[in-house]
PDB file of all heavy atoms in Angstrom:
ATOM      1  N   SER A 141      13.603  40.831  -5.205  1.00  0.00           N
ATOM      2  CA  SER A 141      14.835  41.509  -5.581  1.00  0.00           C
ATOM      3  C   SER A 141      14.578  42.997  -5.565  1.00  0.00           C
ATOM      4  O   SER A 141      13.539  43.477  -6.007  1.00  0.00           O
ATOM      5  CB  SER A 141      15.184  41.063  -7.003  1.00  0.00           C
ATOM      6  OG  SER A 141      16.051  42.022  -7.631  1.00  0.00           O
ATOM      7  N   GLY A 142      15.573  43.744  -5.047  1.00  0.00           N
ATOM      8  CA  GLY A 142      15.370  45.204  -5.045  1.00  0.00           C
ATOM      9  C   GLY A 142      16.407  45.857  -4.127  1.00  0.00           C
ATOM     10  O   GLY A 142      17.323  45.223  -3.727  1.00  0.00           O
ATOM     11  N   ALA A 143      16.111  47.085  -3.787  1.00  0.00           N
ATOM     12  CA  ALA A 143      17.081  47.821  -2.932  1.00  0.00           C
ATOM     13  C   ALA A 143      16.289  48.944  -2.210  1.00  0.00           C
ATOM     14  O   ALA A 143      15.265  49.426  -2.685  1.00  0.00           O
ATOM     15  CB  ALA A 143      18.195  48.408  -3.748  1.00  0.00           C
ATOM     16  N   TRP A 144      16.833  49.304  -1.072  1.00  0.00           N
ATOM     17  CA  TRP A 144      16.291  50.406  -0.238  1.00  0.00           C
ATOM     18  C   TRP A 144      17.474  51.291   0.071  1.00  0.00           C
ATOM     19  O   TRP A 144      18.261  50.964   0.934  1.00  0.00           O
ATOM     20  CB  TRP A 144      15.647  49.834   1.027  1.00  0.00           C
ATOM     21  CG  TRP A 144      14.675  50.768   1.694  1.00  0.00           C
ATOM     22  CD1 TRP A 144      14.892  52.100   1.959  1.00  0.00           C
ATOM     23  CD2 TRP A 144      13.367  50.442   2.211  1.00  0.00           C
ATOM     24  NE1 TRP A 144      13.822  52.614   2.606  1.00  0.00           N
ATOM     25  CE2 TRP A 144      12.859  51.638   2.761  1.00  0.00           C
ATOM     26  CE3 TRP A 144      12.596  49.279   2.249  1.00  0.00           C
ATOM     27  CZ2 TRP A 144      11.594  51.691   3.367  1.00  0.00           C
ATOM     28  CZ3 TRP A 144      11.372  49.345   2.829  1.00  0.00           C
ATOM     29  CH2 TRP A 144      10.881  50.528   3.412  1.00  0.00           C
ATOM     30  N   LEU A 145      17.524  52.374  -0.700  1.00  0.00           N
ATOM     31  CA  LEU A 145      18.729  53.241  -0.580  1.00  0.00           C
ATOM     32  C   LEU A 145      18.395  54.473   0.303  1.00  0.00           C
ATOM     33  O   LEU A 145      17.305  54.940   0.309  1.00  0.00           O
ATOM     34  CB  LEU A 145      19.138  53.680  -1.956  1.00  0.00           C
ATOM     35  CG  LEU A 145      19.395  52.608  -3.002  1.00  0.00           C
ATOM     36  CD1 LEU A 145      19.713  53.188  -4.326  1.00  0.00           C
ATOM     37  CD2 LEU A 145      20.511  51.620  -2.529  1.00  0.00           C
ATOM     38  N   TYR A 146      19.452  54.903   1.000  1.00  0.00           N
ATOM     39  CA  TYR A 146      19.317  56.149   1.811  1.00  0.00           C
ATOM     40  C   TYR A 146      18.128  56.117   2.740  1.00  0.00           C
ATOM     41  O   TYR A 146      17.357  57.110   2.879  1.00  0.00           O
ATOM     42  CB  TYR A 146      19.221  57.397   0.899  1.00  0.00           C
ATOM     43  CG  TYR A 146      20.164  57.333  -0.296  1.00  0.00           C
ATOM     44  CD1 TYR A 146      19.683  57.299  -1.582  1.00  0.00           C
ATOM     45  CD2 TYR A 146      21.534  57.269  -0.094  1.00  0.00           C
ATOM     46  CE1 TYR A 146      20.533  57.200  -2.686  1.00  0.00           C
ATOM     47  CE2 TYR A 146      22.430  57.235  -1.195  1.00  0.00           C
ATOM     48  CZ  TYR A 146      21.908  57.199  -2.466  1.00  0.00           C
ATOM     49  OH  TYR A 146      22.730  57.082  -3.525  1.00  0.00           O
ATOM     50  N   GLN A 147      17.932  54.967   3.382  1.00  0.00           N
ATOM     51  CA  GLN A 147      16.732  54.739   4.206  1.00  0.00           C
ATOM     52  C   GLN A 147      16.606  55.830   5.260  1.00  0.00           C
ATOM     53  O   GLN A 147      17.524  56.152   6.003  1.00  0.00           O
ATOM     54  CB  GLN A 147      16.862  53.357   4.868  1.00  0.00           C
ATOM     55  CG  GLN A 147      15.487  52.816   5.233  1.00  0.00           C
ATOM     56  CD  GLN A 147      15.562  51.278   5.450  1.00  0.00           C
ATOM     57  OE1 GLN A 147      16.616  50.688   5.251  1.00  0.00           O
ATOM     58  NE2 GLN A 147      14.495  50.682   5.876  1.00  0.00           N
ATOM     59  N   GLY A 148      15.422  56.385   5.336  1.00  0.00           N
ATOM     60  CA  GLY A 148      15.111  57.401   6.337  1.00  0.00           C
ATOM     61  C   GLY A 148      15.593  58.776   6.004  1.00  0.00           C
ATOM     62  O   GLY A 148      15.353  59.710   6.788  1.00  0.00           O
ATOM     63  N   ARG A 149      16.270  58.957   4.910  1.00  0.00           N
ATOM     64  CA  ARG A 149      16.785  60.258   4.528  1.00  0.00           C
ATOM     65  C   ARG A 149      15.843  60.895   3.494  1.00  0.00           C
ATOM     66  O   ARG A 149      15.061  60.170   2.831  1.00  0.00           O
ATOM     67  CB  ARG A 149      18.207  60.156   4.010  1.00  0.00           C
ATOM     68  CG  ARG A 149      19.124  59.381   4.910  1.00  0.00           C
ATOM     69  CD  ARG A 149      20.518  59.987   5.068  1.00  0.00           C
ATOM     70  NE  ARG A 149      21.189  60.225   3.817  1.00  0.00           N
ATOM     71  CZ  ARG A 149      22.234  59.462   3.385  1.00  0.00           C
ATOM     72  NH1 ARG A 149      22.681  58.475   4.123  1.00  0.00           N
ATOM     73  NH2 ARG A 149      22.809  59.781   2.262  1.00  0.00           N
ATOM     74  N   PRO A 150      15.898  62.173   3.289  1.00  0.00           N
ATOM     75  CA  PRO A 150      14.986  62.797   2.317  1.00  0.00           C
ATOM     76  C   PRO A 150      15.202  62.227   0.884  1.00  0.00           C
ATOM     77  O   PRO A 150      14.223  62.194   0.107  1.00  0.00           O
ATOM     78  CB  PRO A 150      15.370  64.278   2.329  1.00  0.00           C
ATOM     79  CG  PRO A 150      16.106  64.475   3.593  1.00  0.00           C
ATOM     80  CD  PRO A 150      16.739  63.133   3.990  1.00  0.00           C
ATOM     81  N   GLU A 151      16.372  61.762   0.595  1.00  0.00           N
ATOM     82  CA  GLU A 151      16.619  61.240  -0.754  1.00  0.00           C
ATOM     83  C   GLU A 151      16.351  59.753  -0.897  1.00  0.00           C
ATOM     84  O   GLU A 151      16.743  59.119  -1.864  1.00  0.00           O
ATOM     85  CB  GLU A 151      18.071  61.585  -1.203  1.00  0.00           C
ATOM     86  CG  GLU A 151      19.173  60.922  -0.359  1.00  0.00           C
ATOM     87  CD  GLU A 151      19.606  61.768   0.854  1.00  0.00           C
ATOM     88  OE1 GLU A 151      18.776  62.433   1.442  1.00  0.00           O
ATOM     89  OE2 GLU A 151      20.784  61.760   1.174  1.00  0.00           O
ATOM     90  N   GLU A 152      15.638  59.208   0.087  1.00  0.00           N
ATOM     91  CA  GLU A 152      15.310  57.809   0.130  1.00  0.00           C
ATOM     92  C   GLU A 152      14.740  57.306  -1.207  1.00  0.00           C
ATOM     93  O   GLU A 152      13.919  57.951  -1.866  1.00  0.00           O
ATOM     94  CB  GLU A 152      14.217  57.623   1.200  1.00  0.00           C
ATOM     95  CG  GLU A 152      13.966  56.219   1.618  1.00  0.00           C
ATOM     96  CD  GLU A 152      13.195  56.167   2.989  1.00  0.00           C
ATOM     97  OE1 GLU A 152      12.673  57.226   3.409  1.00  0.00           O
ATOM     98  OE2 GLU A 152      13.125  55.074   3.571  1.00  0.00           O
ATOM     99  N   VAL A 153      15.169  56.102  -1.637  1.00  0.00           N
ATOM    100  CA  VAL A 153      14.736  55.487  -2.900  1.00  0.00           C
ATOM    101  C   VAL A 153      14.485  54.009  -2.669  1.00  0.00           C
ATOM    102  O   VAL A 153      15.316  53.338  -2.074  1.00  0.00           O
ATOM    103  CB  VAL A 153      15.817  55.605  -4.013  1.00  0.00           C
ATOM    104  CG1 VAL A 153      15.366  54.880  -5.267  1.00  0.00           C
ATOM    105  CG2 VAL A 153      16.125  57.049  -4.321  1.00  0.00           C
TER     106      VAL A 153
END
Side-chain angles (χ1 to χ4, degrees):
S141 160
W144 196 314
L145 306 175
Y146 318 117
Q147 205 161 354
R149 308 220 308 252
E151 63 272 35
E152 194 163 13
V153 176

